[in-house]
Amino acid sequence: MGTFFHFIIYDVLSVPAVLVGLIALIGLLVQKKSVDECIKGSIKTTMGFLIIGAGAGIVIAALGDFSKIFQFAFGIHGVVPTNEAIVAIAQKSFGKEMALIMFFGMIVNIIIARLTPWKYIFLTGHHILYMAVMIAAILTAAGMSGVALIALGSVVLGIIMVLMPALAQPYMREITGSDDIALGHFSTFSYVFSGFIAKRVGNKLKSTEDIAVPKSLMFLRDTPVAISCTMAVIFLVSCAFAGKDFVNGVSHGQYWIVFALLQAITFAAGVYIILQGVRMLISEIVPAFKGISDKLVPNSKPALDCPIVFPYAPNAVLIGFISSFIAGLVGMLICYLAHITVIIPGVVPHFFIGATAGVFGNAMGGRRGAIIGSFCEGLLITFLPVFLLPVLGSLGYSNTTFSDSDFGVVGILLGHIVQLFH
């Protein structure tokens, strides 16, 4: 029984592509679709997720090299918020608790969606796992254990899994023009904050997607080309400051200018792959999800990962990333001057979170909203990790922490609440 439970948790539910593929298959079976449609729908849904993951892997690899060069070029040392790193450390101590909280948290999610107006089923499996790890770590640091820890952790996780998509949904309706899909990504406070600010400082009628481009620069209207050119400038400047010798070490001897240009284009290729995966995923998961909506949780909505919004405003994706990263640099300088823990801007979180915040900002406040909203989001994900570190107990001394805003907000609140009772 234990082996089977381990298989379900670690090999099925914790793999986003498998989880979403199963959800699609169940939805199609409930609708009594043909065997052909069930096979095709579930495979293409899984494939869409795998394509997104493949694109994300390319982006992360390109940004990983850039991070090394950037940190060396400007002599920066401190804490780098990275979900994957902190989870890898935490799983060694809280693996069993994480698995149980994740499993029962998903059940709580379904129950809440069935019984309340919050009809959201959170499908971003890796973020469910990350949040389960953080909850387990914080409750353990507060002195909880056993059944009490699992029960409280599962309820907290289940509530978060419906609350966050509900908070983002008004903005998602503005972005997508429909109510069919929701956002399932634990940086929702960042996106809502960006949209909130953008609505007050911008003009939604002046969209990033309507930016007038001179004829000589019309090639920039092509999203992959625009991303390649922008990233090429960023990579070249960083490589120039880092010096040829250091870049040669990272590039394994490739000439630094060629390396910078190829990394920029590789990054853009990764983004392009993500967009294709998103399109395939949406085209399959929404019709398949209708079965679950009609039977198990009437009128429910699938809450999907943040790249789901990228195709709606590709220019805002790039603008949001750059603005968020600049905010991260500003925040890093403030941390240094204030003599508090220096948070080094992680390029990966600033890309995915900043890009999404840019889309939210554009939907609510156009170009100005995309720039200012994602800048404010960049500051938010810089300073939240500073205040989360002490709450994580022994994990707070591992030189890394969670990067997304919901981990910071939920972690800080949960940590202080449980401390009141212990």
Side-chain angles (χ1 to χ4, degrees), residues 94 97 101 131-157 391-393 395 410-411 413-419 422:
F94 312 109
E97 292 84 356
I101 289 173
M131 186 63 79
V133 167
M134 188 193 73
I135 292 171
I138 289 173
L139 295 182
T140 301
M144 295 187 68
S145 61
V147 175
L149 184 151
I150 303 302
L152 178 59
S154 300
V155 171
V156 170
L157 179 59
V391 182
L392 291 174
L395 289 177
V410 172
L413 288 176
L414 181 62
H416 285 91
I417 289 171
V418 295
Q419 286 291 351
H422 283 80

PDB file of all heavy atoms in Angstrom, residues 94 97 101 131-157 391-393 395 410-411 413-419 422:
ATOM      1  N   PHE A  94      11.337  17.034   4.830  1.00  0.00           N
ATOM      2  CA  PHE A  94       9.876  17.059   4.939  1.00  0.00           C
ATOM      3  C   PHE A  94       9.189  16.305   3.807  1.00  0.00           C
ATOM      4  O   PHE A  94       8.055  16.609   3.448  1.00  0.00           O
ATOM      5  CB  PHE A  94       9.378  18.518   4.944  1.00  0.00           C
ATOM      6  CG  PHE A  94      10.113  19.413   5.895  1.00  0.00           C
ATOM      7  CD1 PHE A  94      10.981  20.386   5.414  1.00  0.00           C
ATOM      8  CD2 PHE A  94       9.965  19.278   7.258  1.00  0.00           C
ATOM      9  CE1 PHE A  94      11.677  21.216   6.279  1.00  0.00           C
ATOM     10  CE2 PHE A  94      10.651  20.092   8.139  1.00  0.00           C
ATOM     11  CZ  PHE A  94      11.509  21.065   7.650  1.00  0.00           C
ATOM     12  N   GLU A  97       5.756  14.532   4.811  1.00  0.00           N
ATOM     13  CA  GLU A  97       4.733  15.543   5.116  1.00  0.00           C
ATOM     14  C   GLU A  97       4.301  16.275   3.854  1.00  0.00           C
ATOM     15  O   GLU A  97       3.118  16.543   3.642  1.00  0.00           O
ATOM     16  CB  GLU A  97       5.278  16.550   6.141  1.00  0.00           C
ATOM     17  CG  GLU A  97       5.510  15.978   7.530  1.00  0.00           C
ATOM     18  CD  GLU A  97       6.852  15.283   7.671  1.00  0.00           C
ATOM     19  OE1 GLU A  97       7.589  15.166   6.659  1.00  0.00           O
ATOM     20  OE2 GLU A  97       7.169  14.838   8.788  1.00  0.00           O
ATOM     21  N   ILE A 101       0.449  16.325   2.456  1.00  0.00           N
ATOM     22  CA  ILE A 101      -0.210  17.632   2.337  1.00  0.00           C
ATOM     23  C   ILE A 101      -0.634  17.880   0.897  1.00  0.00           C
ATOM     24  O   ILE A 101      -1.725  18.382   0.618  1.00  0.00           O
ATOM     25  CB  ILE A 101       0.715  18.762   2.842  1.00  0.00           C
ATOM     26  CG1 ILE A 101       0.859  18.680   4.367  1.00  0.00           C
ATOM     27  CG2 ILE A 101       0.185  20.136   2.434  1.00  0.00           C
ATOM     28  CD1 ILE A 101       1.878  19.643   4.935  1.00  0.00           C
ATOM     29  N   MET A 131       4.340  24.576  -2.793  1.00  0.00           N
ATOM     30  CA  MET A 131       3.598  25.163  -1.679  1.00  0.00           C
ATOM     31  C   MET A 131       3.456  24.160  -0.540  1.00  0.00           C
ATOM     32  O   MET A 131       3.535  24.528   0.643  1.00  0.00           O
ATOM     33  CB  MET A 131       2.226  25.649  -2.147  1.00  0.00           C
ATOM     34  CG  MET A 131       1.433  26.409  -1.092  1.00  0.00           C
ATOM     35  SD  MET A 131       2.209  27.960  -0.523  1.00  0.00           S
ATOM     36  CE  MET A 131       1.792  29.078  -1.884  1.00  0.00           C
ATOM     37  N   ALA A 132       3.264  22.875  -0.878  1.00  0.00           N
ATOM     38  CA  ALA A 132       3.157  21.836   0.148  1.00  0.00           C
ATOM     39  C   ALA A 132       4.458  21.739   0.948  1.00  0.00           C
ATOM     40  O   ALA A 132       4.441  21.577   2.177  1.00  0.00           O
ATOM     41  CB  ALA A 132       2.818  20.493  -0.492  1.00  0.00           C
ATOM     42  N   VAL A 133       5.581  21.837   0.252  1.00  0.00           N
ATOM     43  CA  VAL A 133       6.890  21.803   0.923  1.00  0.00           C
ATOM     44  C   VAL A 133       7.025  22.979   1.884  1.00  0.00           C
ATOM     45  O   VAL A 133       7.439  22.821   3.034  1.00  0.00           O
ATOM     46  CB  VAL A 133       8.034  21.827  -0.113  1.00  0.00           C
ATOM     47  CG1 VAL A 133       9.364  22.111   0.568  1.00  0.00           C
ATOM     48  CG2 VAL A 133       8.106  20.506  -0.845  1.00  0.00           C
ATOM     49  N   MET A 134       6.683  24.179   1.415  1.00  0.00           N
ATOM     50  CA  MET A 134       6.831  25.354   2.272  1.00  0.00           C
ATOM     51  C   MET A 134       5.928  25.274   3.494  1.00  0.00           C
ATOM     52  O   MET A 134       6.341  25.592   4.612  1.00  0.00           O
ATOM     53  CB  MET A 134       6.523  26.633   1.490  1.00  0.00           C
ATOM     54  CG  MET A 134       6.865  27.891   2.288  1.00  0.00           C
ATOM     55  SD  MET A 134       6.188  29.411   1.597  1.00  0.00           S
ATOM     56  CE  MET A 134       4.448  29.202   2.032  1.00  0.00           C
ATOM     57  N   ILE A 135       4.684  24.856   3.303  1.00  0.00           N
ATOM     58  CA  ILE A 135       3.757  24.731   4.428  1.00  0.00           C
ATOM     59  C   ILE A 135       4.281  23.732   5.445  1.00  0.00           C
ATOM     60  O   ILE A 135       4.256  23.984   6.662  1.00  0.00           O
ATOM     61  CB  ILE A 135       2.351  24.324   3.919  1.00  0.00           C
ATOM     62  CG1 ILE A 135       1.728  25.472   3.120  1.00  0.00           C
ATOM     63  CG2 ILE A 135       1.446  23.930   5.081  1.00  0.00           C
ATOM     64  CD1 ILE A 135       0.443  25.100   2.406  1.00  0.00           C
ATOM     65  N   ALA A 136       4.781  22.585   4.958  1.00  0.00           N
ATOM     66  CA  ALA A 136       5.342  21.571   5.852  1.00  0.00           C
ATOM     67  C   ALA A 136       6.522  22.129   6.645  1.00  0.00           C
ATOM     68  O   ALA A 136       6.649  21.902   7.856  1.00  0.00           O
ATOM     69  CB  ALA A 136       5.773  20.342   5.054  1.00  0.00           C
ATOM     70  N   ALA A 137       7.394  22.882   5.967  1.00  0.00           N
ATOM     71  CA  ALA A 137       8.578  23.454   6.621  1.00  0.00           C
ATOM     72  C   ALA A 137       8.183  24.457   7.698  1.00  0.00           C
ATOM     73  O   ALA A 137       8.729  24.447   8.817  1.00  0.00           O
ATOM     74  CB  ALA A 137       9.479  24.119   5.587  1.00  0.00           C
ATOM     75  N   ILE A 138       7.224  25.332   7.391  1.00  0.00           N
ATOM     76  CA  ILE A 138       6.828  26.375   8.339  1.00  0.00           C
ATOM     77  C   ILE A 138       6.111  25.776   9.549  1.00  0.00           C
ATOM     78  O   ILE A 138       6.368  26.154  10.707  1.00  0.00           O
ATOM     79  CB  ILE A 138       5.934  27.420   7.641  1.00  0.00           C
ATOM     80  CG1 ILE A 138       6.783  28.241   6.669  1.00  0.00           C
ATOM     81  CG2 ILE A 138       5.254  28.334   8.657  1.00  0.00           C
ATOM     82  CD1 ILE A 138       5.991  29.194   5.808  1.00  0.00           C
ATOM     83  N   LEU A 139       5.210  24.830   9.314  1.00  0.00           N
ATOM     84  CA  LEU A 139       4.483  24.208  10.433  1.00  0.00           C
ATOM     85  C   LEU A 139       5.426  23.404  11.318  1.00  0.00           C
ATOM     86  O   LEU A 139       5.279  23.385  12.549  1.00  0.00           O
ATOM     87  CB  LEU A 139       3.353  23.321   9.898  1.00  0.00           C
ATOM     88  CG  LEU A 139       2.220  24.051   9.162  1.00  0.00           C
ATOM     89  CD1 LEU A 139       1.140  23.060   8.734  1.00  0.00           C
ATOM     90  CD2 LEU A 139       1.610  25.150  10.028  1.00  0.00           C
ATOM     91  N   THR A 140       6.405  22.756  10.704  1.00  0.00           N
ATOM     92  CA  THR A 140       7.395  22.014  11.493  1.00  0.00           C
ATOM     93  C   THR A 140       8.253  22.968  12.321  1.00  0.00           C
ATOM     94  O   THR A 140       8.520  22.719  13.502  1.00  0.00           O
ATOM     95  CB  THR A 140       8.299  21.171  10.569  1.00  0.00           C
ATOM     96  OG1 THR A 140       7.495  20.263   9.823  1.00  0.00           O
ATOM     97  CG2 THR A 140       9.324  20.397  11.375  1.00  0.00           C
ATOM     98  N   ALA A 141       8.676  24.076  11.695  1.00  0.00           N
ATOM     99  CA  ALA A 141       9.478  25.082  12.417  1.00  0.00           C
ATOM    100  C   ALA A 141       8.703  25.673  13.580  1.00  0.00           C
ATOM    101  O   ALA A 141       9.285  26.094  14.583  1.00  0.00           O
ATOM    102  CB  ALA A 141       9.918  26.184  11.454  1.00  0.00           C
ATOM    103  N   ALA A 142       7.353  25.692  13.465  1.00  0.00           N
ATOM    104  CA  ALA A 142       6.511  26.235  14.536  1.00  0.00           C
ATOM    105  C   ALA A 142       6.223  25.201  15.623  1.00  0.00           C
ATOM    106  O   ALA A 142       5.515  25.489  16.588  1.00  0.00           O
ATOM    107  CB  ALA A 142       5.200  26.745  13.960  1.00  0.00           C
ATOM    108  N   GLY A 143       6.746  23.971  15.444  1.00  0.00           N
ATOM    109  CA  GLY A 143       6.594  22.955  16.479  1.00  0.00           C
ATOM    110  C   GLY A 143       5.490  21.952  16.237  1.00  0.00           C
ATOM    111  O   GLY A 143       5.228  21.099  17.099  1.00  0.00           O
ATOM    112  N   MET A 144       4.833  21.994  15.080  1.00  0.00           N
ATOM    113  CA  MET A 144       3.754  21.054  14.791  1.00  0.00           C
ATOM    114  C   MET A 144       4.316  19.764  14.193  1.00  0.00           C
ATOM    115  O   MET A 144       5.394  19.761  13.600  1.00  0.00           O
ATOM    116  CB  MET A 144       2.726  21.664  13.840  1.00  0.00           C
ATOM    117  CG  MET A 144       1.973  22.845  14.411  1.00  0.00           C
ATOM    118  SD  MET A 144       0.623  23.396  13.325  1.00  0.00           S
ATOM    119  CE  MET A 144      -0.496  21.987  13.452  1.00  0.00           C
ATOM    120  N   SER A 145       3.542  18.659  14.319  1.00  0.00           N
ATOM    121  CA  SER A 145       3.965  17.390  13.740  1.00  0.00           C
ATOM    122  C   SER A 145       2.765  16.466  13.611  1.00  0.00           C
ATOM    123  O   SER A 145       1.668  16.774  14.090  1.00  0.00           O
ATOM    124  CB  SER A 145       5.040  16.731  14.617  1.00  0.00           C
ATOM    125  OG  SER A 145       4.516  16.456  15.911  1.00  0.00           O
ATOM    126  N   GLY A 146       2.964  15.337  12.942  1.00  0.00           N
ATOM    127  CA  GLY A 146       1.953  14.302  12.868  1.00  0.00           C
ATOM    128  C   GLY A 146       0.685  14.697  12.157  1.00  0.00           C
ATOM    129  O   GLY A 146       0.689  15.490  11.205  1.00  0.00           O
ATOM    130  N   VAL A 147      -0.442  14.161  12.662  1.00  0.00           N
ATOM    131  CA  VAL A 147      -1.737  14.355  12.038  1.00  0.00           C
ATOM    132  C   VAL A 147      -2.135  15.830  12.000  1.00  0.00           C
ATOM    133  O   VAL A 147      -2.699  16.311  11.013  1.00  0.00           O
ATOM    134  CB  VAL A 147      -2.821  13.531  12.771  1.00  0.00           C
ATOM    135  CG1 VAL A 147      -4.206  13.822  12.193  1.00  0.00           C
ATOM    136  CG2 VAL A 147      -2.516  12.038  12.672  1.00  0.00           C
ATOM    137  N   ALA A 148      -1.831  16.560  13.061  1.00  0.00           N
ATOM    138  CA  ALA A 148      -2.197  17.978  13.129  1.00  0.00           C
ATOM    139  C   ALA A 148      -1.522  18.761  12.011  1.00  0.00           C
ATOM    140  O   ALA A 148      -2.143  19.611  11.357  1.00  0.00           O
ATOM    141  CB  ALA A 148      -1.829  18.562  14.490  1.00  0.00           C
ATOM    142  N   LEU A 149      -0.261  18.470  11.783  1.00  0.00           N
ATOM    143  CA  LEU A 149       0.487  19.155  10.722  1.00  0.00           C
ATOM    144  C   LEU A 149      -0.124  18.844   9.356  1.00  0.00           C
ATOM    145  O   LEU A 149      -0.347  19.756   8.545  1.00  0.00           O
ATOM    146  CB  LEU A 149       1.950  18.731  10.774  1.00  0.00           C
ATOM    147  CG  LEU A 149       2.918  19.426   9.801  1.00  0.00           C
ATOM    148  CD1 LEU A 149       4.322  19.472  10.397  1.00  0.00           C
ATOM    149  CD2 LEU A 149       2.980  18.713   8.447  1.00  0.00           C
ATOM    150  N   ILE A 150      -0.390  17.565   9.090  1.00  0.00           N
ATOM    151  CA  ILE A 150      -0.940  17.159   7.800  1.00  0.00           C
ATOM    152  C   ILE A 150      -2.319  17.765   7.591  1.00  0.00           C
ATOM    153  O   ILE A 150      -2.637  18.282   6.515  1.00  0.00           O
ATOM    154  CB  ILE A 150      -1.027  15.619   7.698  1.00  0.00           C
ATOM    155  CG1 ILE A 150       0.352  14.979   7.907  1.00  0.00           C
ATOM    156  CG2 ILE A 150      -1.603  15.218   6.339  1.00  0.00           C
ATOM    157  CD1 ILE A 150       1.412  15.437   6.952  1.00  0.00           C
ATOM    158  N   ALA A 151      -3.163  17.714   8.628  1.00  0.00           N
ATOM    159  CA  ALA A 151      -4.540  18.213   8.513  1.00  0.00           C
ATOM    160  C   ALA A 151      -4.557  19.714   8.250  1.00  0.00           C
ATOM    161  O   ALA A 151      -5.218  20.194   7.311  1.00  0.00           O
ATOM    162  CB  ALA A 151      -5.326  17.888   9.778  1.00  0.00           C
ATOM    163  N   LEU A 152      -3.840  20.472   9.080  1.00  0.00           N
ATOM    164  CA  LEU A 152      -3.812  21.927   8.905  1.00  0.00           C
ATOM    165  C   LEU A 152      -3.168  22.290   7.576  1.00  0.00           C
ATOM    166  O   LEU A 152      -3.675  23.154   6.831  1.00  0.00           O
ATOM    167  CB  LEU A 152      -3.060  22.585  10.062  1.00  0.00           C
ATOM    168  CG  LEU A 152      -2.921  24.116   9.980  1.00  0.00           C
ATOM    169  CD1 LEU A 152      -4.289  24.779   9.928  1.00  0.00           C
ATOM    170  CD2 LEU A 152      -2.104  24.655  11.158  1.00  0.00           C
ATOM    171  N   GLY A 153      -2.067  21.631   7.249  1.00  0.00           N
ATOM    172  CA  GLY A 153      -1.369  21.920   5.989  1.00  0.00           C
ATOM    173  C   GLY A 153      -2.237  21.658   4.776  1.00  0.00           C
ATOM    174  O   GLY A 153      -2.249  22.452   3.829  1.00  0.00           O
ATOM    175  N   SER A 154      -3.006  20.575   4.789  1.00  0.00           N
ATOM    176  CA  SER A 154      -3.865  20.231   3.663  1.00  0.00           C
ATOM    177  C   SER A 154      -4.984  21.248   3.477  1.00  0.00           C
ATOM    178  O   SER A 154      -5.310  21.634   2.349  1.00  0.00           O
ATOM    179  CB  SER A 154      -4.471  18.835   3.873  1.00  0.00           C
ATOM    180  OG  SER A 154      -3.459  17.862   3.980  1.00  0.00           O
ATOM    181  N   VAL A 155      -5.580  21.677   4.593  1.00  0.00           N
ATOM    182  CA  VAL A 155      -6.652  22.673   4.528  1.00  0.00           C
ATOM    183  C   VAL A 155      -6.116  24.006   4.005  1.00  0.00           C
ATOM    184  O   VAL A 155      -6.722  24.636   3.128  1.00  0.00           O
ATOM    185  CB  VAL A 155      -7.312  22.867   5.910  1.00  0.00           C
ATOM    186  CG1 VAL A 155      -8.275  24.051   5.885  1.00  0.00           C
ATOM    187  CG2 VAL A 155      -8.056  21.598   6.323  1.00  0.00           C
ATOM    188  N   VAL A 156      -4.958  24.411   4.517  1.00  0.00           N
ATOM    189  CA  VAL A 156      -4.350  25.666   4.059  1.00  0.00           C
ATOM    190  C   VAL A 156      -4.052  25.590   2.561  1.00  0.00           C
ATOM    191  O   VAL A 156      -4.380  26.503   1.795  1.00  0.00           O
ATOM    192  CB  VAL A 156      -3.052  25.970   4.843  1.00  0.00           C
ATOM    193  CG1 VAL A 156      -2.299  27.137   4.210  1.00  0.00           C
ATOM    194  CG2 VAL A 156      -3.375  26.288   6.299  1.00  0.00           C
ATOM    195  N   LEU A 157      -3.460  24.493   2.119  1.00  0.00           N
ATOM    196  CA  LEU A 157      -3.115  24.336   0.706  1.00  0.00           C
ATOM    197  C   LEU A 157      -4.367  24.333  -0.166  1.00  0.00           C
ATOM    198  O   LEU A 157      -4.416  25.006  -1.203  1.00  0.00           O
ATOM    199  CB  LEU A 157      -2.332  23.041   0.499  1.00  0.00           C
ATOM    200  CG  LEU A 157      -1.922  22.712  -0.945  1.00  0.00           C
ATOM    201  CD1 LEU A 157      -1.047  23.816  -1.526  1.00  0.00           C
ATOM    202  CD2 LEU A 157      -1.202  21.373  -1.011  1.00  0.00           C
ATOM    203  N   VAL A 391      11.068  33.005   8.804  1.00  0.00           N
ATOM    204  CA  VAL A 391       9.925  32.139   9.080  1.00  0.00           C
ATOM    205  C   VAL A 391      10.217  30.692   8.699  1.00  0.00           C
ATOM    206  O   VAL A 391       9.601  29.760   9.214  1.00  0.00           O
ATOM    207  CB  VAL A 391       8.671  32.642   8.315  1.00  0.00           C
ATOM    208  CG1 VAL A 391       7.457  31.783   8.622  1.00  0.00           C
ATOM    209  CG2 VAL A 391       8.382  34.088   8.667  1.00  0.00           C
ATOM    210  N   LEU A 392      11.174  30.480   7.788  1.00  0.00           N
ATOM    211  CA  LEU A 392      11.448  29.135   7.278  1.00  0.00           C
ATOM    212  C   LEU A 392      12.295  28.293   8.219  1.00  0.00           C
ATOM    213  O   LEU A 392      12.651  27.166   7.874  1.00  0.00           O
ATOM    214  CB  LEU A 392      12.154  29.241   5.914  1.00  0.00           C
ATOM    215  CG  LEU A 392      11.292  29.777   4.769  1.00  0.00           C
ATOM    216  CD1 LEU A 392      12.137  29.966   3.524  1.00  0.00           C
ATOM    217  CD2 LEU A 392      10.121  28.846   4.483  1.00  0.00           C
ATOM    218  N   GLY A 393      12.635  28.813   9.396  1.00  0.00           N
ATOM    219  CA  GLY A 393      13.436  28.043  10.337  1.00  0.00           C
ATOM    220  C   GLY A 393      14.822  27.783   9.789  1.00  0.00           C
ATOM    221  O   GLY A 393      15.470  28.668   9.235  1.00  0.00           O
ATOM    222  N   LEU A 395      15.722  26.278   7.201  1.00  0.00           N
ATOM    223  CA  LEU A 395      15.828  26.462   5.752  1.00  0.00           C
ATOM    224  C   LEU A 395      16.201  27.893   5.390  1.00  0.00           C
ATOM    225  O   LEU A 395      16.664  28.162   4.295  1.00  0.00           O
ATOM    226  CB  LEU A 395      14.507  26.102   5.070  1.00  0.00           C
ATOM    227  CG  LEU A 395      14.119  24.625   5.037  1.00  0.00           C
ATOM    228  CD1 LEU A 395      12.759  24.463   4.385  1.00  0.00           C
ATOM    229  CD2 LEU A 395      15.157  23.810   4.305  1.00  0.00           C
ATOM    230  N   VAL A 410       1.868  34.020   1.930  1.00  0.00           N
ATOM    231  CA  VAL A 410       1.292  32.904   2.689  1.00  0.00           C
ATOM    232  C   VAL A 410       2.263  32.450   3.783  1.00  0.00           C
ATOM    233  O   VAL A 410       1.856  32.199   4.925  1.00  0.00           O
ATOM    234  CB  VAL A 410       0.954  31.726   1.756  1.00  0.00           C
ATOM    235  CG1 VAL A 410       0.546  30.490   2.559  1.00  0.00           C
ATOM    236  CG2 VAL A 410      -0.161  32.115   0.801  1.00  0.00           C
ATOM    237  N   GLY A 411       3.547  32.347   3.455  1.00  0.00           N
ATOM    238  CA  GLY A 411       4.541  31.885   4.418  1.00  0.00           C
ATOM    239  C   GLY A 411       4.658  32.799   5.625  1.00  0.00           C
ATOM    240  O   GLY A 411       4.687  32.340   6.770  1.00  0.00           O
ATOM    241  N   LEU A 413       2.417  35.074   6.719  1.00  0.00           N
ATOM    242  CA  LEU A 413       1.163  35.054   7.493  1.00  0.00           C
ATOM    243  C   LEU A 413       1.019  33.754   8.285  1.00  0.00           C
ATOM    244  O   LEU A 413       0.710  33.775   9.482  1.00  0.00           O
ATOM    245  CB  LEU A 413      -0.035  35.224   6.557  1.00  0.00           C
ATOM    246  CG  LEU A 413      -0.250  36.621   5.957  1.00  0.00           C
ATOM    247  CD1 LEU A 413      -1.415  36.596   4.974  1.00  0.00           C
ATOM    248  CD2 LEU A 413      -0.513  37.649   7.057  1.00  0.00           C
ATOM    249  N   LEU A 414       1.246  32.627   7.620  1.00  0.00           N
ATOM    250  CA  LEU A 414       1.096  31.330   8.284  1.00  0.00           C
ATOM    251  C   LEU A 414       2.086  31.182   9.425  1.00  0.00           C
ATOM    252  O   LEU A 414       1.727  30.712  10.521  1.00  0.00           O
ATOM    253  CB  LEU A 414       1.290  30.206   7.261  1.00  0.00           C
ATOM    254  CG  LEU A 414       1.151  28.770   7.782  1.00  0.00           C
ATOM    255  CD1 LEU A 414      -0.262  28.535   8.313  1.00  0.00           C
ATOM    256  CD2 LEU A 414       1.484  27.759   6.684  1.00  0.00           C
ATOM    257  N   GLY A 415       3.320  31.602   9.190  1.00  0.00           N
ATOM    258  CA  GLY A 415       4.338  31.497  10.227  1.00  0.00           C
ATOM    259  C   GLY A 415       3.982  32.276  11.474  1.00  0.00           C
ATOM    260  O   GLY A 415       4.135  31.782  12.604  1.00  0.00           O
ATOM    261  N   HIS A 416       3.480  33.488  11.294  1.00  0.00           N
ATOM    262  CA  HIS A 416       3.128  34.309  12.458  1.00  0.00           C
ATOM    263  C   HIS A 416       1.854  33.826  13.142  1.00  0.00           C
ATOM    264  O   HIS A 416       1.727  33.906  14.367  1.00  0.00           O
ATOM    265  CB  HIS A 416       2.990  35.771  12.037  1.00  0.00           C
ATOM    266  CG  HIS A 416       4.304  36.458  11.793  1.00  0.00           C
ATOM    267  ND1 HIS A 416       4.905  36.492  10.553  1.00  0.00           N
ATOM    268  CD2 HIS A 416       5.155  37.094  12.628  1.00  0.00           C
ATOM    269  CE1 HIS A 416       6.064  37.148  10.622  1.00  0.00           C
ATOM    270  NE2 HIS A 416       6.236  37.516  11.891  1.00  0.00           N
ATOM    271  N   ILE A 417       0.908  33.304  12.349  1.00  0.00           N
ATOM    272  CA  ILE A 417      -0.344  32.809  12.946  1.00  0.00           C
ATOM    273  C   ILE A 417      -0.090  31.580  13.827  1.00  0.00           C
ATOM    274  O   ILE A 417      -0.554  31.512  14.969  1.00  0.00           O
ATOM    275  CB  ILE A 417      -1.377  32.483  11.843  1.00  0.00           C
ATOM    276  CG1 ILE A 417      -1.890  33.783  11.200  1.00  0.00           C
ATOM    277  CG2 ILE A 417      -2.574  31.702  12.440  1.00  0.00           C
ATOM    278  CD1 ILE A 417      -2.741  33.557   9.961  1.00  0.00           C
ATOM    279  N   VAL A 418       0.666  30.599  13.308  1.00  0.00           N
ATOM    280  CA  VAL A 418       0.900  29.388  14.103  1.00  0.00           C
ATOM    281  C   VAL A 418       1.761  29.673  15.309  1.00  0.00           C
ATOM    282  O   VAL A 418       1.654  28.986  16.342  1.00  0.00           O
ATOM    283  CB  VAL A 418       1.519  28.268  13.229  1.00  0.00           C
ATOM    284  CG1 VAL A 418       0.556  27.816  12.167  1.00  0.00           C
ATOM    285  CG2 VAL A 418       2.841  28.695  12.615  1.00  0.00           C
ATOM    286  N   GLN A 419       2.619  30.703  15.225  1.00  0.00           N
ATOM    287  CA  GLN A 419       3.439  31.047  16.383  1.00  0.00           C
ATOM    288  C   GLN A 419       2.591  31.556  17.550  1.00  0.00           C
ATOM    289  O   GLN A 419       2.969  31.424  18.715  1.00  0.00           O
ATOM    290  CB  GLN A 419       4.484  32.113  15.994  1.00  0.00           C
ATOM    291  CG  GLN A 419       5.648  31.591  15.164  1.00  0.00           C
ATOM    292  CD  GLN A 419       6.578  30.681  15.947  1.00  0.00           C
ATOM    293  OE1 GLN A 419       6.460  30.552  17.163  1.00  0.00           O
ATOM    294  NE2 GLN A 419       7.485  30.016  15.238  1.00  0.00           N
ATOM    295  N   HIS A 422       1.675  28.525  19.669  1.00  0.00           N
ATOM    296  CA  HIS A 422       2.739  27.623  20.153  1.00  0.00           C
ATOM    297  C   HIS A 422       3.751  28.405  20.973  1.00  0.00           C
ATOM    298  O   HIS A 422       4.029  29.549  20.725  1.00  0.00           O
ATOM    299  CB  HIS A 422       3.436  26.949  18.950  1.00  0.00           C
ATOM    300  CG  HIS A 422       2.614  25.835  18.370  1.00  0.00           C
ATOM    301  ND1 HIS A 422       1.559  26.065  17.519  1.00  0.00           N
ATOM    302  CD2 HIS A 422       2.703  24.487  18.517  1.00  0.00           C
ATOM    303  CE1 HIS A 422       1.026  24.920  17.148  1.00  0.00           C
ATOM    304  NE2 HIS A 422       1.694  23.942  17.741  1.00  0.00           N
TER     305      HIS A 422
END
